[in-house]
Amino acid sequence: MAQQNILLLEDDLQLSDTVKQFLEYSGYALYPAYDALEAKDILYEQNIDLMLLDIKVPHQNGFDFLQEVRNEGNTTPAIFITSLNSVDDVTKGFEIGCDDYIRKPFALKELRARVEVSIKRNFGTQQNSIELGNGYLFDIKGVFLTQHNKRVALKNKEAKLLALFLKNPNKLLSYEDIFEVLWSYDETPSQGSLRAYINTLRQHLGKETIETIKNSGYRYAKQ
């Protein structure tokens, strides 16, 4: 099994060092950042499999950091680790696109368990890319599609939709399931736009690849 890379955004130096040592002992590679700017550099320079994000950090809080990352189409799993514990804070974290939320103080074994679950949930594979036939290759971490090593021009939401289908092969995805992933809480979902995204993906991957389930949603038919 390939070693998994984890970005740790935490400005408490002692806690950061403790988490780093523990997770490295558990077999992970840790990339610590002590502010949001440093975290962005790491995220763009390294192949990160999971983000552990404190919220109250210098330069940009964790909420805004993750929102910016998600807006750029990056779907790398993220866990907030924070002392904030209000229902509104938790709700905001999930609305932005985090995968889990753990409150300080926490047991290191609990953190490791949540890390393991989040990484396994992300495609359930250690692959960096997925072959889709006819020379198409989908880059999991970068969230983009290539054909014969040339990048295919997809809109941000089209790439995120394809990633969602590949995470859920042969599973019915309701309109609500798709809307929740493609549109943020301050955007209004559009059936017309979704149909256009589906048509674009079908043009590349084949009409039979994505099935329309009448009045319900869509299903990616994995071959």
Side-chain angles (χ1 to χ4, degrees), residues 6-12 15-20 23 30 33 50-57 62-63 66 78-85 93 98-108 110-112 114-115:
I6 297 176
L7 165 63
L8 173 62
L9 174 55
E10 171 59 67
D11 65 338
D12 183 321
L15 177 59
S16 175
D17 189 57
T18 298
V19 171
K20 181 177 184 293
L23 290 180
L30 267 287
L50 176 68
M51 297 181 285
L52 299 178
L53 308 174
D54 190 10
I55 294 174
K56 294 182 177 181
V57 293
F63 287 142
L66 183 60
I79 300 176
F80 279 125
I81 48 174
T82 178
S83 57
L84 299 178
N85 58 12
C98 79
D99 296 78
D100 204 352
Y101 205 105
I102 184 168
R103 294 182 178 89
K104 298 176 181 177
F106 52 83
L108 290 171
E110 179 186 0
L111 176 62
R112 182 174 59 192
R114 290 174 183 264
V115 165

Side-chain angles (χ1 to χ4, degrees), residues 127-152:
Q127 293 175 274
N128 291 325
S129 59
I130 298 177
E131 293 185 10
L132 303 178
N134 295 324
Y136 284 103
L137 199 67
F138 186 75
D139 188 288
I140 294 172
K141 294 184 178 125
V143 193
F144 61 83
L145 182 68
T146 61
Q147 185 181 34
H148 303 305
N149 296 320
K150 293 184 178 180
R151 188 154 177 168
V152 177

